[in-house]
Amino acid sequence: MEWASQLCENRQFGSKMTDSKYFTTTKKGEIFELKAELNSDKKEKKKEAVKKVIASMTVGKDVSALFPDVVNCMQTDNLELKKLVYLYLMNYAKSQPDMAIMAVNTFVKDCEDPNPLIRALAVRTMGCIRVDKITEYLCEPLRKCLKDEDPYVRKTAAVCVAKLHDINAQLVEDQGFLDTLKDLISDSNPMVVANAVAALSEIAESHPNSNLLDLNPQSINKLLTALNECTEWGQIFILDCLANYTPRDDRESQSICERVTPRLSHANSAVVLSAVKVLMKFMEMLPKDLDYYGTLLKKLAPPLVTLLSAEPELQYVALRNINLIVQKRPEILKHEMKVFFVKYNDPIYVKLEKLDIMIRLASQANIAQVLAELKEYATEVDVDFVRKAVRAIGRCAIKVEQSAERCVSTLLDLIQTKVNYVVQEAIVVIKDIFRKYPNKYESVIATLCENLDSLDEPEARAAMIWIVGEYAERIDNADELLESFLEGFHDESTQVQLQLLTAIVKLFLKKPTETQELVQQVLSLATQDSDNPDLRDRGYIYWRLLSTDPVAAKEVVLAEKPLISEETDLIEPTLLDELICHIGTLASVYHKPPSAFVEGSRGVQHKRLPARAGSGESTESPDVGQSVGGADAPPAVIPSQGDLLGDLLNLDLAPPATTVPAVPASMQMGAMDLLGGGLDSLMGDESETHNIHQRMESPSPQSLSEYSHPELGGDIGGSPAIGAGMGAPPAVMPASLNAAVGGGLGDLFDLGGGVGMPTGAFIPPKTLWLPAMKAKGLEISGTFARRSGVLQMDLSLTNKALSVMSDFAIQFNRNSFGLAPAGPLQVLTPLTPNQTIDVALPLSTVGPIMKMEPLTNLQVAVKNNIDVFYFSCQYPISILFVEDGKMDRQVFLATWKDIPNDNEAQFQIKDCHLNSDAATNKLQSSNIFTIAKRTVDGQDMLYQSIKLTNGIWILAELRVQAGSPNYVLSVKCRASEVSQFVYQCYELVLKN
């Protein structure tokens, strides 16, 4: 009965319960517990809860459901708790943007907190919340923090601007934050200055043409003052910024170097390398005969040596940078050879790098020391290192001629050790020594032949076969030696097969009677039994040569070979200059420009060293105004054989219907008033313009309107950018002129409104642009000229290879002034070995435009039947000076006043012994026209005008003091970056 009543009770109870009990649990769950703790009244419990939330978030658990509860904890004075909440906020704001807006009020409030640490914490977190919705709410607090009285808050706010710019660049610009950042460069606190520089550099990197860091001597002085008191990272930011500045002259360059030099003794290796970068760059501008130049070289060595006492990884980075420095200026470390000697416990990557630098520093003075060291390395246990050491001995022999004999005897000693891999490497390098010094060390051939059987590596076997074939007449049993290789011909690698084929043909040409069977055997093996097309083709060529014309075969196969040089492993000079500008970055470790390994647009700005004082090269000018060819134009660098190669191969190589070059700018149609008033008188009257229409082939209506439209070039007077032809296509007539009408070009050129034909304009001598070593035997030297208004590129093409060259074509990359070939490269006959041909290539200025660095840089691709070759050269800006560049006096005066004084640049021309009349005549021959002359206190003032092909006017004042060899030149132009080049042109013309 008791049991039954219990059951009834349970039944009644059960009828009240539902099945929901299965879905509930007494354990509330972790999130629920955390939620309760976060809302606790006890501060300690709250803090512990937030720590638990952060821990869960760190290990990857999703705690975003607690967002409102965590945000509520922001209202606290406890700094530690605030930091934790802000950490949570940064992580989840992106996935919960609507919730994140709840935190905005707290941010605004925290930005006005009396504690500067809290203000800085708030502004730092604001920068890290990458949510578009929130950014506009944060502008006001950020503005206040940028002007905060506490430097810690200001420096944090400066970095926040860069982060905000990354999220919404337009907002930052509209709110004027960039100007505030620029003002912070003048801040009294060095850390604020450093962070402002870092932020501006970061923004400028993603917007290369924005010219944010407008560096001038005043701002540079502020940066140098801040440099002494910054943290190490602040110093690196400032030094990197300094490296982008181009000093006006060698005095400014020297003063910056003097103030940067103390950084060389810094404990942080990154600061040292950044300082080295600045000094290496600015040394370019110092004259080599200056005492300070020698002092600076001496000061650079100790810090670089000190870097080599760090741990191996840092040593490796330092060595990679030193490798570049030694290639640029070996004199810095020429007395420090011993620090590059290898230690027994160095890792292999450090050993190999040290070895490379030792060879670069090897000279007659230290070669004995180096060879003794290398011989020691050749007995090490590390096979890779031993091979490199033996190779290094060979490279020393090729580099330092006086040491060749000692190197050869060292290599013979190593061969006597009979260590297989040592012997093989030695034979490979002795082959190179034979090529460098023919008929000098052939006495060692007997020793080499003794080791023939031990050779098993393709490179060593090929080298030995080359030696036997090349010196077959001195080796009595040459035929037996080569026959021994022939037995396993099909098992050999391609390298050995090709070498064997050539060696046996050489042997046959030297000893035809004894080796006829041998040569037939190898030719049949190569042509009939081989699958390799290279081997087959070479075999057929030899077969035909030998069967048709043995004399010609002898000339081809036994021709004199060009000597080899040690410089083959040096980095190409323009790339080296760029890498020097990237010392202390990843580019200097990879030995590649950033564009080769950084994806996207960031970091792909090409840098180059400034020109040495007094050299004809241009200095790097900071980007001014709008980039040519639009802001988004990618930097054009040729060496990567990318699209340019494609373009070149797609060239229509047939000559165009008319190859008359583009009309010079003296015949621009509807020439717009570039200076905003009064230019009509310069351009001749309307009837004259009408004549030009008459003498032109009538272009299509569309092209006519396009060329004569007055707004095409923009009005320089009112243009915010640098105006006419720098941003817009130049307003020049179409190149298709009907030369037959009116007696050809002769009378067309008389249209310049009474401008006389300049005669005897200065043409710079030809310089080497492409050495034969880098272009498979094609050597190109050249110069630029302007003759009777026609631009020309004068080229000398020399064939230093053994084969005939033909099918020449040329193409230019986009450049600052739209230079392009106006016709094909007229090489009418094939270029035979050792022949030189002079070619004049007409140029036009209607090609595609893109601002180059430096401005007059021209990147060229030349194609022939062998390959496509690339080089860059610089043209003198004087070739762009047009014949109608004489401005009316009134217009000159008005324009001079109109151009801002900031755009005026002053230069000194030293050692010029001409009077003002002689100077006037000389300059006029290069289209630099004197408009007026005034004499004040025995000083002649010449007022001159120049007009470029793209319509830009340059005004100049030249002061000539009687009896003084120094002139003072003032140049004014709206496009101020051309001033430096104009000055260089004055120097060239007046001194030649």
Side-chain angles (χ1 to χ4, degrees):
M1 278 299 290
E2 214 171 281
W3 169 80
S5 64
Q6 183 74 43
L7 184 64
C8 281
E9 263 178 47
N10 278 356
R11 271 198 160 170
Q12 282 167 351
F13 181 68
S15 62
K16 288 175 194 167
M17 294 272 291
T18 62
D19 290 342
S20 64
K21 66 181 181 199
Y22 299 114
F23 298 98
T24 59
T25 165
T26 50
K27 194 172 184 305
K28 297 288 185 187
E30 194 179 5
I31 297 283
F32 188 84
E33 284 172 16
L34 285 171
K35 200 179 183 80
E37 283 176 31
L38 286 170
N39 292 314
S40 159
D41 295 334
K42 292 179 183 166
K43 282 187 179 176
E44 276 310 307
K45 206 168 186 184
K46 219 179 222 185
K47 190 156 76 176
E48 283 307 306
V50 175
K51 282 183 178 175
K52 285 181 195 169
V53 170
I54 299 291
S56 302
M57 179 179 90
T58 309
V59 295
K61 288 183 186 169
D62 181 16
V63 283
S64 57
L66 297 169
F67 200 96
D69 306 286
V70 176
V71 169
N72 282 339
C73 298
M74 280 172 81
Q75 313 289 343
T76 174
D77 299 332
N78 186 315
L79 192 59
E80 189 186 358
L81 181 55
K82 219 176 234 318
K83 279 184 179 175
L84 292 168
V85 173
Y86 278 172
L87 201 62
Y88 176 89
L89 210 61
M90 281 189 254
N91 195 42
Y92 282 116
K94 207 159 191 179
S95 57
Q96 310 256 348
D98 297 330
M99 291 282 211
I101 290 182
M102 290 162 51
V104 167
N105 287 335
T106 314
F107 278 135
V108 175
K109 207 166 118 199
D110 281 356
C111 282
E112 291 174 0
D113 194 277
N115 183 344
L117 290 175
I118 290 182
R119 297 204 295 276
L121 183 63
V123 82
R124 180 182 291 125
T125 312
M126 278 158 41
C128 295
I129 296 179
R130 304 179 62 82
V131 177
D132 265 345
K133 279 184 180 179
I134 298 183
T135 45
E136 55 204 63
Y137 295 110
L138 305 181
C139 290
E140 216 37 58
L142 179 57
R143 183 175 285 106
K144 283 180 187 164
C145 289
L146 281 167
K147 296 193 173 155
D148 198 282
E149 68 216 19
D150 192 287
Y152 182 72
V153 180
R154 292 201 299 278
K155 89 177 179 70
T156 312
V159 177
C160 185
V161 173
K163 290 178 177 173
L164 194 59
H165 189 275
D166 201 35
I167 305 167
N168 190 339
Q170 196 55 51
L171 180 73
V172 171
E173 284 163 35
D174 295 345
Q175 294 282 341
F177 288 147
L178 295 182
D179 297 325
T180 316
L181 260 191
K182 288 181 192 173
D183 295 341
L184 287 182
I185 288 184
S186 311
D187 198 277
S188 55
N189 184 290
M191 271 319 300
V192 177
V193 175
N195 278 19
V197 167
L200 284 168
S201 302
E202 177 86 7
I203 295 169
E205 213 170 83
S206 55
H207 293 69
N209 304 311
S210 54
N211 190 34
L212 285 173
L213 277 161
D214 183 14
L215 298 174
N216 53 47
Q218 290 74 36
S219 56
I220 289 294
N221 191 30
K222 286 168 189 163
L223 294 183
L224 287 165
T225 309
L227 188 61
N228 301 323
E229 300 165 46
C230 278
T231 63
E232 45 200 32
W233 286 111
Q235 291 182 28
I236 292 166
F237 287 132
I238 290 178
L239 287 167
D240 286 351
C241 178
L242 285 173
N244 293 329
Y245 175 62
T246 302
R248 292 167 306 173
D249 52 28
D250 49 352
R251 282 180 60 191
E252 189 186 359
S253 190
Q254 181 176 336
S255 102
I256 294 174
C257 288
E258 283 168 353
R259 293 177 71 179
V260 168
T261 311
R263 300 299 107 215
L264 292 173
S265 51
H266 202 285
N268 185 321
S269 50
V271 176
V272 174
L273 280 178
S274 291
V276 168
K277 166 168 65 182
V278 174
L279 296 173
M280 284 291 289
K281 194 167 175 185
F282 288 3
M283 275 172 83
E284 282 296 306
M285 295 190 69
L286 299 177
K288 285 197 172 179
D289 52 6
L290 198 70
D291 290 343
Y292 180 69
Y293 182 83
T295 316
L296 196 53
L297 285 179
K298 286 182 191 145
K299 283 184 179 171
L300 274 167
L304 292 171
V305 170
T306 309
L307 291 176
L308 297 182
S309 52
E311 49 267 38
E313 294 80 5
L314 280 180
Q315 273 189 60
Y316 179 71
V317 172
L319 287 164
R320 291 294 281 175
N321 280 281
I322 289 169
N323 201 326
L324 295 173
I325 293 165
V326 164
Q327 287 185 53
K328 185 71 186 169
R329 299 198 188 285
E331 63 270 30
I332 292 176
L333 290 161
K334 65 179 177 190
H335 301 304
E336 303 291 345
M337 177 63 88
K338 280 191 173 168
V339 296
F340 299 107
F341 285 175
V342 168
K343 297 187 183 121
Y344 75 95
N345 58 350
D346 279 339
I348 183 70
Y349 55 87
V350 170
K351 284 181 176 177
L352 296 179
E353 207 54 44
K354 281 185 173 178
L355 206 54
D356 202 28
I357 294 169
M358 277 169 68
I359 297 158
R360 298 205 193 287
L361 290 174
S363 65
Q364 205 175 334
N366 58 23
I367 195 72
Q369 208 182 8
V370 172
L371 279 178
E373 193 73 12
L374 290 174
K375 191 174 179 183
E376 195 67 36
Y377 300 161
T379 58
E380 287 263 354
V381 288
D382 189 321
V383 177
D384 274 342
F385 181 53
V386 171
R387 287 175 183 278
K388 283 272 190 202
V390 176
R391 284 244 165 152
I393 296 171
R395 278 174 64 187
C396 286
I398 290 165
K399 185 177 179 189
V400 186
E401 191 167 343
Q402 296 80 356
S403 73
E405 198 148 337
R406 192 183 270 160
C407 292
V408 171
S409 65
T410 306
L411 288 168
L412 287 176
D413 291 348
L414 291 172
I415 287 174
Q416 298 307 332
T417 62
K418 301 288 182 196
V419 177
N420 188 289
Y421 54 86
V422 175
V423 173
Q424 308 210 58
E425 281 299 329
I427 286 174
V428 171
V429 296
I430 286 174
K431 176 203 78 173
D432 288 340
I433 293 172
F434 284 167
R435 284 200 58 188
K436 173 75 175 175
Y437 309 110
N439 307 319
K440 216 167 174 187
Y441 301 108
E442 282 73 14
S443 53
V444 307
I445 290 175
T447 317
L448 302 184
C449 292
E450 289 166 18
N451 293 283
L452 209 70
D453 301 335
S454 66
L455 307 181
D456 52 16
E457 289 171 15
E459 198 176 359
R461 289 172 76 82
M464 193 65 227
I465 292 166
W466 181 86
I467 292 169
V468 173
E470 189 66 19
Y471 300 103
E473 69 278 15
R474 303 181 190 206
I475 304 172
D476 299 334
N477 60 338
D479 48 345
E480 291 170 27
L481 295 176
L482 291 175
E483 201 165 0
S484 68
F485 282 105
L486 206 57
E487 287 161 11
F489 185 78
H490 288 304
D491 302 328
E492 298 286 4
S493 72
T494 309
Q495 186 182 5
V496 177
Q497 289 177 333
L498 287 165
Q499 204 55 267
L500 194 54
L501 171 61
T502 304
I504 291 174
V505 171
K506 282 181 188 172
L507 178 67
F508 172 70
L509 290 168
K510 290 172 183 178
K511 303 180 180 177
T513 47
E514 307 153 39
T515 53
Q516 201 149 359
E517 276 182 38
L518 190 61
V519 81
Q520 282 180 333
Q521 190 185 346
V522 77
L523 286 172
S524 112
L525 281 170
T527 54
Q528 289 161 26
D529 306 342
S530 169
D531 296 333
N532 185 320
D534 287 346
L535 187 62
R536 241 189 357 250
D537 288 354
R538 192 183 287 195
Y540 279 126
I541 287 169
Y542 285 150
W543 203 317
R544 282 176 195 148
L545 265 174
L546 293 171
S547 55
T548 54
D549 191 350
V551 180
K554 208 163 192 167
E555 279 178 17
V556 170
V557 180
L558 302 180
E560 199 175 317
K561 285 155 200 68
L563 299 181
I564 61 170
S565 81
E566 192 272 332
E567 308 305 327
T568 46
D569 64 332
L570 289 182
I571 294 174
E572 194 260 327
T574 50
L575 175 58
L576 180 62
D577 284 357
E578 185 175 348
L579 292 176
I580 291 287
C581 298
H582 289 293
I583 282 176
T585 67
L586 211 48
S588 65
V589 179
Y590 285 158
H591 287 190
K592 288 177 178 175
S595 52
F597 59 88
V598 176
E599 286 188 2
S601 61
R602 298 190 83 149
V604 191
Q605 242 183 317
H606 289 275
K607 301 182 180 181
R608 52 174 283 133
L609 295 176
R612 179 167 301 289
S615 80
E617 283 182 42
S618 61
T619 51
E620 177 185 62
S621 62
D623 292 344
V624 175
Q626 188 180 340
S627 95
V628 178
D632 299 324
V637 158
I638 275 187
S640 62
Q641 299 194 2
D643 18 325
L644 189 63
L645 179 57
D647 294 350
L648 194 68
L649 297 175
N650 295 334
L651 268 181
D652 178 10
L653 295 177
T658 55
T659 55
V660 180
V663 185
S666 57
M667 284 160 288
Q668 290 183 349
M669 293 166 50
M672 55 285 176
D673 182 351
L674 290 173
L675 291 152
L679 197 61
D680 303 336
S681 58
L682 267 180
M683 307 305 292
D685 61 21
E686 284 177 27
S687 61
E688 208 164 70
T689 319
H690 181 68
N691 279 341
I692 302 172
H693 284 258
Q694 294 287 303
R695 296 179 198 183
M696 254 181 72
E697 270 187 347
S698 89
S700 66
Q702 176 264 333
S703 69
L704 194 66
S705 64
E706 182 182 311
Y707 279 100
S708 58
H709 198 283
E711 285 171 20
L712 181 64
D715 168 22
I716 280 199
S719 160
I722 47 181
M726 292 297 275
V732 177
M733 253 206 258
S736 55
L737 285 178
N738 187 344
V741 178
L745 287 176
D747 58 348
L748 272 178
F749 283 122
D750 288 332
L751 289 173
V755 176
M757 276 314 309
T759 51
F762 169 67
I763 296 170
K766 284 183 181 168
T767 51
L768 182 64
W769 285 341
L770 182 66
M773 226 170 68
K774 291 185 182 164
K776 301 183 181 175
L778 173 64
E779 184 177 281
I780 300 179
S781 50
T783 185
F784 293 88
R786 185 179 185 93
R787 298 185 179 96
S788 304
V790 179
L791 273 66
Q792 285 181 326
M793 184 187 209
D794 294 346
L795 297 163
S796 291
L797 309 175
T798 305
N799 181 357
K800 293 198 172 176
L802 301 174
S803 53
V804 174
M805 294 181 181
S806 59
D807 306 332
F808 283 89
I810 192 164
Q811 184 172 328
F812 296 172
N813 206 353
R814 296 186 294 170
N815 54 78
S816 307
F817 292 94
L819 283 186
L825 189 58
Q826 299 275 9
V827 182
L828 302 172
T829 54
L831 195 57
T832 55
N834 295 321
Q835 184 191 359
T836 299
I837 288 181
D838 291 330
V839 188
L841 176 73
L843 306 178
S844 73
T845 51
V846 291
I849 289 175
M850 185 177 85
K851 185 176 179 187
M852 298 302 287
E853 208 50 90
L855 208 59
T856 56
N857 196 24
L858 181 65
Q859 296 172 334
V860 184
V862 171
K863 170 181 175 280
N864 64 11
N865 58 327
I866 294 169
D867 205 344
V868 182
F869 308 107
Y870 305 92
F871 64 89
S872 61
C873 54
Q874 288 185 30
Y875 47 90
I877 201 166
S878 54
I879 64 165
L880 305 169
F881 297 173
V882 299
E883 283 66 23
D884 68 338
K886 189 162 187 175
M887 193 184 261
D888 179 81
R889 285 187 184 198
Q890 257 35 58
V891 177
F892 182 95
L893 199 61
T895 310
W896 185 277
K897 287 178 183 168
D898 195 36
I899 296 175
N901 288 336
D902 291 350
N903 283 27
E904 183 174 350
Q906 265 203 357
F907 306 95
Q908 199 167 29
I909 300 169
K910 296 179 179 175
D911 304 324
C912 195
H913 302 279
L914 298 172
N915 63 26
S916 57
D917 293 340
T920 300
N921 293 337
K922 214 164 196 193
L923 292 167
Q924 175 136 350
S925 68
S926 291
N927 293 342
I928 300 172
F929 298 98
T930 302
I931 288 159
K933 174 181 168 183
R934 204 154 65 93
T935 306
V936 182
D937 300 334
Q939 193 177 45
D940 289 342
M941 325 271 267
L942 304 178
Y943 297 98
Q944 297 170 324
S945 69
I946 303 164
K947 185 177 169 192
L948 300 182
T949 47
N950 60 5
I952 285 180
W953 284 90
I954 298 149
L955 312 186
E957 175 193 73
L958 186 65
R959 277 181 261 168
V960 182
Q961 179 77 46
S964 164
N966 297 343
Y967 294 179
V968 177
L969 173 70
S970 301
V971 179
K972 258 193 167 188
C973 179
R974 295 199 185 275
S976 54
E977 57 258 77
V978 303
S979 302
Q980 177 70 30
F981 300 92
V982 172
Y983 152 66
Q984 287 162 7
C985 161
Y986 267 80
E987 282 238 304
L988 271 177
V989 173
L990 290 171
K991 291 184 181 179
N992 290 288

